[in-house]
Amino acid sequence: MNKQLTFRILFLFLLIALSAYIFIHYDLYLLFKDRHRLENFIRSYPYDQLIFIVVQIIQVVAAPIPGELTGFIGGILYGPFWGTVYSTIGLTLGSWIAFMLARFFGEPLIENMVKKEVFEKFDHFMEHKGLLVSFLLFLIPGFPKDYLCYIMGVSLIPTGTFIIISTAGRIFGTIMLSITGAFAINGQYTFLTVILVLGVIIFIIAYYYHDKLIEILKKRRH
């Protein structure tokens, strides 16, 4: 068992080092800092939809990369409907990969990918299979959902259940980002303003009350 754990830890550090080298050596990290650079990169390939899906997968697995940018670009490139579809495919696959990586490597990966305070805050809910709480955390705008995939990977939640929760929880935010991108590129600023105002209102309400809601749900589980 100790040899197996040692092998996994060494393999993990090798994987992280290789990923970091590729990102830095080929300047891939710059793509996620410039919207126009990322758009041009995706459009430069014949099967750009597949490239976009891969980009969405990467931004989930590499948790610090902001998902709002890629979701917005999906709306610009493919419109509100297909932008949502392609984003959802990429986000679902990326979430599953992050979940399985955490399940395979265990706590050594969590320590490298997730901030300690973030893990400690939500470990209680994951440990007790708080399915409703997990769904609500994915639903809350601005919440670190990519980190949550790793945290849930070391929980007892079945893989299929996780995929359903993460996909359903992300869908509202994905739709909002796709619509925002599509309206912005088409110059539909009136509709965009309405969507943004609604999104901001929902975000403020959800963000302001999410701690209270989580505490209420936590108490009900005892």
Side-chain angles (χ1 to χ4, degrees):
M1 180 62 71
N2 291 333
K3 289 184 178 180
Q4 186 180 30
L5 179 60
T6 301
F7 171 77
R8 290 190 179 190
I9 292 176
L10 290 176
F11 183 59
L12 170 62
F13 281 109
L14 178 62
L15 184 62
I16 292 175
L18 179 61
S19 300
Y21 171 77
I22 293 174
F23 258 73
I24 296 174
H25 182 74
Y26 293 100
D27 295 329
L28 295 179
Y29 68 96
L30 295 175
L31 293 175
F32 296 93
K33 298 177 67 176
D34 187 329
R35 194 199 89 190
H36 298 291
R37 185 194 293 261
L38 184 55
E39 282 183 41
N40 292 332
F41 173 78
I42 294 172
R43 284 173 168 162
S44 65
Y45 290 88
Y47 300 99
D48 53 289
Q49 297 91 341
L50 294 178
I51 300 301
F52 174 74
I53 290 173
V54 171
V55 167
Q56 284 288 46
I57 292 173
I58 292 174
Q59 71 86 7
V60 175
V61 177
I65 296 176
E68 288 75 15
L69 173 62
T70 53
F72 182 79
I73 289 176
I76 291 176
L77 295 178
Y78 308 111
F81 177 77
W82 286 111
T84 299
V85 171
Y86 296 142
S87 285
T88 299
I89 293 173
L91 293 173
T92 300
L93 291 174
S95 299
W96 173 73
I97 292 173
F99 179 86
M100 295 306 296
L101 284 172
R103 183 143 292 186
F104 179 77
F105 289 112
E107 292 188 7
L109 177 62
I110 297 296
E111 293 173 358
N112 283 278
M113 294 298 299
V114 182
K115 296 179 181 178
K116 183 178 179 181
E117 56 270 23
V118 175
F119 177 75
E120 291 177 347
K121 185 174 183 179
F122 306 108
D123 183 48
H124 172 85
F125 303 113
M126 301 305 102
E127 183 179 346
H128 292 81
K129 297 181 66 174
L131 300 184
L132 176 58
V133 174
S134 303
F135 171 75
L136 291 174
L137 295 181
F138 274 107
L139 192 62
I140 294 173
F143 202 81
K145 303 175 183 64
D146 300 336
Y147 290 124
L148 192 56
C149 295
Y150 286 100
I151 295 174
M152 294 179 73
V154 295
S155 71
L156 299 176
I157 295 178
T159 304
T161 303
F162 163 76
I163 292 175
I164 294 173
I165 290 175
S166 61
T167 302
R170 287 180 185 272
I171 194 67
F172 174 76
T174 303
I175 292 173
M176 291 294 293
L177 286 171
S178 297
I179 290 175
T180 302
F183 284 176
I185 197 65
N186 292 326
Q188 297 172 291
Y189 298 112
T190 300
F191 291 104
L192 177 59
T193 301
V194 173
I195 293 296
L196 288 176
V197 170
L198 289 175
V200 169
I201 292 174
I202 294 173
F203 172 81
I204 292 174
I205 293 175
Y207 185 82
Y208 183 79
Y209 288 104
H210 80 270
D211 281 333
K212 295 181 181 179
L213 180 59
I214 291 174
E215 286 301 319
I216 292 173
L217 292 170
K218 181 179 177 180
K219 291 177 181 178
R220 288 183 178 179
R221 293 191 63 81
H222 289 290

